[in-house]
Amino acid sequence: MGIVFSPLGLVLVFTAAITPQWREGQARLGTSGLGSLLKPGVKSQRLGVKSVESLLLVRSDGLWESCLQVEQSELKQCWPVSGPYQRDPRVRLAQGLILTSLFLCGTGIVLACIGVRCWTDLPLRGVAATGGLLVVVAGLLSLTALGVYTHNLGQLGMTSPSHRTHPHRFPNLTLHPAGSLYFGWLGSCLQVMGGVALLFSFKQPRCLTFSCCTEMPVCSVCRSCLHMGNNRDIDMTQYDVSY
């Protein structure tokens, strides 16, 4: 469970981090006002909407990229986050927490793979548990980043004075959570579950001790008599090994 859930959670959180759909907003925009958002020489005929009086504008923001798209058209433009949104301390906090989470989760998965040692009979329990602990911490950090971002989703980048001086640069959008947030929530929960499984699954084995087999070899793991089963008719013949 830990070996499967931890990498899957890492992939989902990484996917959420690099995609720009953390929040999304839509607004109706008249075709006459679209010219200010288009590059010079771009006409409405290229959008395939020459008979439409208004367009549906979709704005999406992520941690490192923002996009602007006209629905039902091929017009889409993306750019690195900038301005008040980039300088918002809550966005910077989310970026730092996500990057730290990805690093810790990757390190924890490497330690877990070394500790589990599927190619041997006995795992390295301490190493595997340490990897699980790192994965749990990574999941908690990403959950914190997602919680901070979601709680302040509508206010991110909206409190800077420079934003108030250009109130009509973009139409007012009603922002709501987008798909990348859901990927992040799912991946973070899988990280926590996988880390907990690794942390508590490798307990010290309990070997049964039999008073009738005091002459049998001692288990090197738990220092007790090897479990020979319930069969009492076991051949107890001793062999002398000469070197």
Side-chain angles (χ1 to χ4, degrees):
M1 179 178 173
I3 290 299
V4 173
F5 280 9
S6 299
L8 182 58
L10 176 63
V11 171
L12 290 175
V13 173
F14 178 76
T15 302
I18 63 175
T19 51
Q21 283 79 33
W22 281 58
R23 68 177 186 179
E24 204 171 72
Q26 298 180 349
R28 287 288 176 181
L29 183 68
T31 54
S32 60
L34 185 62
S36 60
L37 300 176
L38 299 178
K39 296 180 179 179
V42 179
K43 298 181 179 180
S44 61
Q45 284 81 357
R46 294 181 57 182
L47 303 177
V49 290
K50 60 182 179 180
S51 61
V52 181
E53 296 181 356
S54 63
L55 299 174
L56 184 60
L57 190 67
V58 180
R59 169 74 181 271
S60 59
D61 294 309
L63 291 183
W64 285 277
E65 190 178 36
S66 297
C67 292
L68 191 65
Q69 182 179 9
V70 178
E71 194 176 57
Q72 298 180 353
S73 74
E74 298 179 357
L75 181 63
K76 181 178 181 180
Q77 186 175 5
C78 296
W79 62 92
V81 293
S82 58
Y85 179 78
Q86 181 191 24
R87 295 189 296 268
D88 194 297
R90 293 161 293 190
V91 175
R92 290 181 175 272
L93 176 63
Q95 292 174 341
L97 290 176
I98 289 295
L99 289 177
T100 306
S101 171
L102 292 174
F103 174 76
L104 289 179
C105 187
T107 305
I109 291 173
V110 172
L111 290 178
C113 292
I114 296 174
V116 170
R117 298 201 307 172
C118 298
W119 57 91
T120 63
D121 294 332
L122 299 175
L124 299 175
R125 293 170 176 81
V127 178
T130 303
L133 179 62
L134 291 180
V135 175
V136 170
V137 173
L140 294 177
L141 289 178
S142 56
L143 285 174
T144 303
L146 291 164
V148 170
Y149 192 98
T150 305
H151 181 71
N152 303 281
L153 186 142
Q155 291 77 35
L156 296 175
M158 301 298 182
T159 58
S160 175
S162 60
H163 178 79
R164 301 191 189 102
T165 59
H166 302 281
H168 301 294
R169 185 175 181 180
F170 291 102
N172 292 328
L173 303 176
T174 302
L175 299 170
H176 56 82
S180 297
L181 280 180
Y182 300 113
F183 278 109
W185 286 112
L186 179 60
S188 301
C189 293
L190 288 177
Q191 285 179 349
V192 174
M193 294 171 61
V196 170
L198 287 170
L199 188 59
F200 294 105
S201 293
F202 295 97
K203 298 180 180 180
Q204 191 75 4
R206 298 176 59 186
C207 299
L208 300 179
T209 303
F210 297 93
S211 58
C212 62
C213 57
T214 56
E215 302 297 330
M216 297 300 295
V218 177
C219 176
S220 60
V221 178
C222 58
R223 311 303 301 174
S224 61
C225 181
L226 290 174
H227 176 49
M228 304 300 295
N230 296 326
N231 188 2
R232 295 291 182 176
D233 299 329
I234 299 176
D235 186 5
M236 307 294 287
T237 306
Q238 297 183 5
Y239 297 91
D240 294 329
V241 179
S242 59
Y243 296 92

